Amino acid sequence: MKWIFKIALFVALVIAMNWQYEQWAYKEYVFREADQVMQIEKVKNADVIYLSASSNFSPRPQEEDPRKLSQFVGNYFPSLLFEAINTPASHAGSHVDLLRFIPEKNKIQTVVCVINLRSMGPDWLHSSLETALNKQGVMYQSRPPIINRFLTSLGAYDNKTIEEREDERADMWAAPNLPFPSPRTNVNEWCALYKWGEWTDPKRQLADQYIKQYAYVVGENNPRIKDLDEIVSVSKERGWNLVFSILSENIVDAELLAGPELTQLMTMNVEWIKSRYEIDAMVVDNLNLLEPVNFHDKDFPTEHYNEEGRKRIASNIAHRLKHYHKNAFRNAVWEAELNPIK
């Protein structure tokens, strides 16, 4: 009986402490450390949710129309409520946690999840930002908030040091896992090749960055692929339509700077992803959709698009999304203004 009393007392204390924590400190903490928790109450009432990272935002607020890419998609479905969850540097692993955190009672019909090729490569897999994302992920677990907060205090998540992550990334770049003969068997060899002058030349540096971001072969053991598998599983459990949108990359500059082998790898990886998921999800392939002028950043390969780029990708997604929401579809008024692809 004493043990039963002690256990009951402990449970009662945890419940009381959790109630106090939720009333006084929880909101302040998640607003500061894991603000997407606050969005869950909003997105659960949406018809369509759009999961992405910074690719959803306008890189230039002074654009004529600086709205998010997801908002441009929503223009095609004016009768549906679209909501976006977009955290810079987030990826499929972050999206899994958020999807599982959505209450069982929700109005969601369709989930659009962005796939960023760079997020599957060594530089993003072992980014120094991963520790912060993993810490946030603890707060997205379906446990009493005070327990989640306690676990973050204990560091009960993947909180490797920057040095450890750099070592893991370096090991991947040195591994001979590329489908080309020497000197392109690994990233380090490929980057060491002479191109565009000395290593200080801006073109040389940008070429090497393209290689570091995209020179890998995706496979089922890639952590992001395991995350995408989980997203498929969650969507099936919840009865949601699932759309994977593969983001546009600057294919033209990638081939110009690093050679056709790199764009062959990028295309091969996209085809592998499509073949894996087209049975369980709708896969929208935007890889070759844009031109260099549509990419904002010129000194590093990113997926930050100008207004026309965001609208063009939105159009591609919306016309495929029409399959699930045919009666709600309306052509966006600005679609006719898009410049034809050269």
Side-chain angles (χ1 to χ4, degrees):
M1 291 295 293
K2 288 183 178 180
W3 282 108
I4 295 175
F5 175 76
K6 289 180 179 179
I7 292 172
L9 180 60
F10 175 75
V11 172
L13 283 172
V14 170
I15 292 173
M17 291 169 63
N18 186 67
W19 181 84
Q20 264 199 329
Y21 178 67
E22 286 192 84
Q23 296 300 311
W24 301 104
Y26 175 63
K27 290 184 178 180
E28 180 184 349
Y29 179 79
V30 297
F31 181 78
R32 186 176 70 250
E33 299 287 348
D35 63 333
Q36 298 302 336
V37 168
M38 313 298 288
Q39 286 200 44
I40 295 300
E41 283 299 309
K42 181 173 66 172
V43 303
K44 75 176 185 180
N45 295 315
D47 298 298
V48 182
I49 59 173
Y50 184 95
L51 304 171
S52 71
S54 58
S55 61
N56 198 33
F57 297 104
S58 167
R60 292 177 177 172
Q62 68 272 25
E63 284 180 335
E64 184 176 342
D65 192 341
R67 283 179 295 167
K68 298 173 183 176
L69 198 161
S70 58
Q71 291 174 309
F72 288 140
V73 179
N75 282 169
Y76 289 84
F77 305 92
S79 63
L80 299 181
L81 178 59
F82 271 68
E83 292 290 355
I85 297 180
N86 27 242
T87 303
S90 64
H91 45 65
S94 314
H95 301 155
V96 170
D97 290 337
L98 287 165
L99 288 175
R100 288 203 179 279
F101 196 61
I102 293 173
E104 290 292 334
K105 292 184 178 180
N106 62 78
K107 298 180 180 179
I108 297 167
Q109 300 176 49
T110 301
V111 172
V112 180
C113 182
V114 160
I115 295 178
N116 187 315
L117 279 187
R118 285 192 305 119
S119 71
M120 299 181 179
D123 200 38
W124 199 328
L125 287 175
H126 303 295
S127 164
S128 60
L129 300 175
E130 279 298 291
T131 297
L133 289 172
N134 293 331
K135 182 179 180 181
Q136 291 175 14
V138 176
M139 299 303 294
Y140 303 144
Q141 304 305 310
S142 298
R143 293 181 293 245
I146 195 169
I147 299 296
N148 288 337
R149 179 67 182 90
F150 180 63
L151 291 173
T152 62
S153 299
L154 291 177
Y157 53 90
D158 180 5
N159 62 349
K160 296 185 184 75
T161 65
I162 292 176
E163 292 75 16
E164 288 173 324
R165 296 192 186 281
E166 288 177 346
D167 287 343
E168 291 179 338
R169 180 180 60 191
D171 289 343
M172 291 187 72
W173 281 341
N177 53 13
L178 300 181
F180 303 119
S182 183
R184 291 184 176 86
T185 59
N186 63 47
V187 168
N188 290 345
E189 282 189 357
W190 198 340
C191 287
L193 283 175
Y194 178 85
K195 47 191 166 310
W196 305 106
E198 298 298 324
W199 70 271
T200 54
D201 186 285
K203 279 190 175 182
R204 166 68 181 270
Q205 293 185 9
L206 184 54
D208 288 349
Q209 282 300 333
Y210 270 100
I211 294 166
K212 289 176 178 179
Q213 301 305 313
Y214 301 109
Y216 65 89
V217 178
V218 72
E220 60 184 13
N221 291 324
N222 188 295
R224 294 292 84 84
I225 293 300
K226 294 179 180 180
D227 295 332
L228 293 175
D229 289 348
E230 279 293 301
I231 290 174
V232 170
S233 178
V234 174
S235 298
K236 285 182 176 181
E237 290 171 12
R238 302 295 189 89
W240 298 328
N241 303 315
L242 177 60
V243 179
F244 284 138
S245 176
I246 300 173
L247 283 179
S248 295
E249 305 293 349
N250 194 341
I251 290 288
V252 174
D253 281 358
E255 182 159 328
L256 174 67
L257 290 164
E261 294 89 351
L262 185 62
T263 51
Q264 288 171 19
L265 265 181
M266 296 166 74
T267 302
M268 181 181 74
N269 286 334
V270 166
E271 291 303 317
W272 189 92
I273 293 167
K274 288 163 64 176
S275 68
R276 185 174 183 85
Y277 295 111
E278 280 181 329
I279 294 176
D280 297 311
M282 176 184 290
V283 182
V284 183
D285 181 0
N286 300 296
L287 178 65
N288 296 283
L289 193 64
L290 303 184
E291 301 174 59
V293 68
N294 298 131
F295 293 84
H296 174 61
D297 298 315
K298 305 301 181 184
D299 56 356
F300 190 85
T302 64
E303 298 72 26
H304 298 149
Y305 312 114
N306 65 7
E307 178 185 334
E308 183 186 39
R310 297 195 308 284
K311 284 181 174 179
R312 194 177 295 285
I313 295 172
S315 173
N316 205 33
I317 296 172
H319 281 275
R320 295 290 306 281
L321 198 56
K322 181 181 178 181
H323 173 77
Y324 295 126
H325 304 282
K326 184 177 181 180
N327 293 335
F329 181 86
R330 303 288 185 274
N331 271 314
V333 295
W334 42 259
E335 181 161 359
E337 301 171 1
L338 293 177
N339 294 320
I341 299 175
K342 298 177 182 178

